Structures are given as structure tokens and as C-alpha cells.
């Protein structure tokens, strides 16, 4: 059993540190670590670890270990209408004439678009990522003015 545990740990380390796109590549990497096994054994190990394939940054499909949060179940799934009513806004922080808005993943771009196309005289512009928006605040505007401008877009902020 010690051999299997060591092999499984080596397999996890290899998958998390290398872009391995085929079982053949995984077998070769394991062999370099001193583990000689069959494709059938590797298949069982991958299944036991719940390994999946996902696109890497360069578009190649590679083996990945499961994300623990992927397997967490929510107690009551939200309806589509409930999701549409949520702005995705989580929090806002200020420093000088800058602000950072945190959103749920995937919401930042559309929220930033709405901010940029609002009638705000206090926000010069935004830069959005996946779940973060950087805002530049006009000189002379204070935090309360910005919050007043953002409330119609984000919902109640306070």
C-alpha cells in the first residue's frame, strides 16, 4: 500500500506542476520518478483522484486535479430570475482617487461597462478583470459622491 500512496502523491505533484496532455506523457513522467505502471493502473489512479482534462493557457488540453470548491453543493440553487436581479457586486474599497470593486467571478466586465456608460461625473473610467474593477475617481470628488453614483448600478452599497 505504501507504493500506491507514494505513486498517488507523485502523480498529484506531476499533474499540478506540469502540462501533461496524454496518459503516455503521464506514464513517462511517472517512470522518471521511479514508478513503472501499466496504462490500466494509471487509468484507475486518475479516476480515483478525480482528475479531469481542461484547456491550459496555450489552449492545449491537459490533466488537472479537481478543485475542492467544484464539488461543494449549494443547498438551494438560485433561479435564473434571482441571478438576473443580482448585480454581482461584493465590495468596494477606496484609496485616494482610486477605488477597487470586487464582484462575483465573470461580473466585473459588464458592471464596468455600466459604470463607464453611466452619467457619473465623479468617475473618470474603469479597468475590469474577471472579478475586480479598478476605478479612477475625478479629483475633488469624495467617496460618498462615488457611492451615490454607483448605487443605481450596483444596488445598495452601504
Amino acid at each position: 500500500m505504501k507504493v500506491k500512496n507514494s505513486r498517488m502523491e507523485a502523480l498529484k505533484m506531476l499533474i499540478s506542476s506540469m502540462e501533461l496532455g496524454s496518459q503516455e506523457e503521464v506514464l513517462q513522467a511517472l517512470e522518471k520518478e521511479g514508478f513503472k505502471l501499466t496504462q490500466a493502473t494509471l487509468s484507475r489512479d486518475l479516476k480515483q483522484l478525480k482528475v479531469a482534462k481542461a484547456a491550459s493557457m496555450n489552449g492545449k488540453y491537459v490533466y488537472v486535479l479537481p478543485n475542492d470548491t467544484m464539488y461543494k453543493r449549494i443547498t438551494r440553487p438560485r433561479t435564473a430570475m434571482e441571478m438576473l436581479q443580482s448585480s454581482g457586486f461584493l465590495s468596494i474599497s477606496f484609496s485616494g482617487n482610486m477605488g477597487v470593486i470586487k464582484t462575483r467571478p465573470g461580473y466585473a466586465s459588464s458592471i464596468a461597462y455600466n459604470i463607464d456608460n453611466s452619467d457619473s461625473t465623479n468617475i473618470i473610467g474603469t479597468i475590469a478583470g474577471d472579478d475586480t474593477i479598478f476605478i479612477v475617481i475625478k479629483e475633488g470628488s469624495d467617496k460618498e459622491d462615488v457611492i451615490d453614483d454607483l448605487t443605481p448600478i450596483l444596488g445598495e452599497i452601504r
Side-chain angles (χ1 to χ4, degrees), residues 84-92 94 101-103 107 110-112 114-115 118 123 133 143-158:
L84 288 171
Q85 290 169 352
S86 167
S87 70
F89 168 78
L90 296 177
S91 67
I92 187 166
F94 296 96
I101 298 172
K102 294 290 188 176
T103 72
Y107 280 73
S110 61
I111 292 173
N114 291 339
I115 294 169
S118 71
I123 299 172
I133 304 167
K143 177 172 112 171
E144 292 305 314
D145 294 333
V146 173
I147 288 174
D148 289 343
D149 286 354
L150 292 174
T151 298
I153 300 164
L154 303 175
E156 191 57 40
I157 295 173
R158 295 178 178 109

Side-chain angles (χ1 to χ4, degrees), residues 49-61:
L49 291 174
K50 294 182 173 68
V51 171
K53 272 196 165 181
S56 68
M57 295 300 280
N58 63 15
K60 176 184 169 190
Y61 280 85

